[in-house]
Amino acid sequence: MNIKQLESELSALRAELNTHKLYSALESIEDIKLFMQEHVFAVWDFMSLLKGLQNKLTNTSTPWTPAVNPNIARFINEIVLDEETDVNELGEPMSHFEMYLEAMGQIEAETKQIDSFLSLIKKGETLNLAANKVNLNENTFKFISFTFNVIASNETHKIAAAFTFGREDVIPDMFFQIINQSKTEDNSYSKLTYYLKRHIELDGDEHGPLSLKMIEMLCGTDQKKWHEVLDISKQALQHRIALWDSIYNLIKANKVIEAY
């Protein structure tokens, strides 16, 4: 198996994701609010996937020793730089997660749940207990649980698979659909539009292609690893589709309530 075969195997799931009915359901500011209030957890857990890779592929401990593969280490460190300390539309250093929270604030989306969740995590609560205490949506919890289960596998190629095919390689197309089919060009969405376009720019032009090379380097000629990467990648896309289904249902249910 190789990258081209892998992408061919994933094409049906990617097509399902890129044509998801959620995108056309984002018709109003209330729809965008509901979307962001759930999606923010996926923005948050992405950083743990990235940090998992940084811990495995670079040296973040002391005493320091050189990375096994400097090319992959540089790639991961560049993504960490972009994701953890990028610049917002005002040129201020800020993580993409914080940019997303700012975008939520701009449209007055509720951030109490994610704020409370992070507060519990900082205090040392487990993922399960924190999610339970803030009453996290079941499908959103399943999405982040999958992420942390992959990280817990401690197998670099599996973490890289969830990162590459569940995130980096699909984000440009996915976010393009959000911009294309929703009303995010409106000035009231300026921070969200900046966030989405920044991701399309970075992931499409730089991160996506490099992450594919990372997979090739990590799997090499080991067919067992290639098949495990395929399995994890399929699961990652299926969890994303399930999350999108859940958010779509929340939006449709809210429209019914608003109609009364």
Side-chain angles (χ1 to χ4, degrees):
M1 186 176 290
N2 56 39
I3 285 292
K4 286 187 178 180
Q5 291 173 314
L6 195 64
E7 291 195 305
S8 177
E9 290 279 350
L10 298 174
S11 60
L13 284 170
R14 289 191 58 168
E16 185 178 350
L17 181 61
N18 289 334
T19 57
H20 200 282
K21 55 191 176 183
L22 169 65
Y23 306 124
S24 58
L26 299 174
E27 299 173 323
S28 70
I29 196 163
E30 290 304 317
D31 300 334
I32 297 288
K33 286 179 183 180
L34 284 173
F35 169 78
M36 295 184 79
Q37 284 161 196
E38 298 300 325
H39 179 241
V40 67
F41 286 90
V43 178
W44 168 74
D45 80 338
F46 169 81
M47 283 304 302
S48 289
L49 263 183
L50 177 55
K51 288 297 182 177
L53 284 176
Q54 188 180 32
N55 289 338
K56 299 289 287 184
L57 297 172
T58 73
N59 194 332
T60 57
S61 61
T62 56
W64 177 87
T65 55
V68 173
N69 189 315
N71 289 325
I72 294 180
R74 179 179 177 84
F75 163 56
I76 294 300
N77 284 332
E78 284 178 351
I79 295 183
V80 171
L81 175 65
D82 289 335
E83 295 287 343
E84 196 168 34
T85 52
D86 199 5
V87 291
N88 66 9
E89 75 279 12
L90 301 175
E92 301 165 336
M94 186 176 290
S95 70
H96 284 185
F97 173 73
E98 290 166 305
M99 287 184 202
Y100 200 87
L101 287 180
E102 276 204 342
M104 291 180 73
Q106 185 182 44
I107 66 168
E108 299 182 350
E110 182 60 68
T111 63
K112 183 178 179 180
Q113 189 180 46
I114 183 65
D115 290 339
S116 297
F117 177 81
L118 287 182
S119 178
L120 290 167
I121 293 295
K122 287 177 182 177
K123 290 175 182 176
E125 291 279 19
T126 65
L127 195 69
N128 289 19
L129 283 175
N132 186 57
K133 286 184 177 180
V134 302
N135 196 29
L136 188 60
N137 179 282
E138 181 182 358
N139 286 293
T140 304
F141 178 64
K142 286 180 179 178
F143 183 91
I144 64 174
S145 291
F146 169 74
T147 298
F148 284 93
N149 285 337
V150 172
I151 295 169
S153 75
N154 206 35
E155 296 188 74
T156 311
H157 64 291
K158 291 182 179 180
I159 301 172
F163 177 84
T164 298
F165 296 105
R167 306 298 179 107
E168 293 296 290
D169 199 41
V170 300
I171 282 175
D173 290 341
M174 190 174 70
F175 282 176
F176 174 77
Q177 293 300 331
I178 293 173
I179 287 178
N180 189 46
Q181 295 193 46
S182 69
K183 298 177 180 178
T184 52
E185 291 295 341
D186 188 290
N187 285 335
S188 60
Y189 305 104
S190 62
K191 289 184 180 292
L192 177 59
T193 302
Y194 178 86
Y195 169 87
L196 295 175
K197 288 185 174 180
R198 185 66 178 143
H199 261 285
I200 290 170
E201 175 188 350
L202 289 173
D203 297 333
D205 296 343
E206 301 172 30
H207 297 174
L210 286 172
S211 64
L212 296 179
K213 291 182 180 179
M214 173 178 64
I215 292 289
E216 289 181 315
M217 290 180 186
L218 291 173
C219 291
T221 58
D222 189 329
Q223 289 302 307
K224 181 175 182 291
K225 285 186 176 180
W226 278 107
H227 285 288
E228 287 174 342
V229 163
L230 175 60
D231 180 56
I232 292 293
S233 301
K234 283 183 176 179
Q235 289 185 58
L237 289 170
Q238 287 163 347
H239 277 283
R240 174 72 71 170
I241 291 166
L243 178 63
W244 267 202
D245 288 343
S246 176
I247 297 174
Y248 173 81
N249 290 333
L250 286 172
I251 289 172
K252 296 304 286 186
N254 189 60
K255 288 181 187 292
V256 171
I257 294 170
E258 288 179 341
Y260 284 93

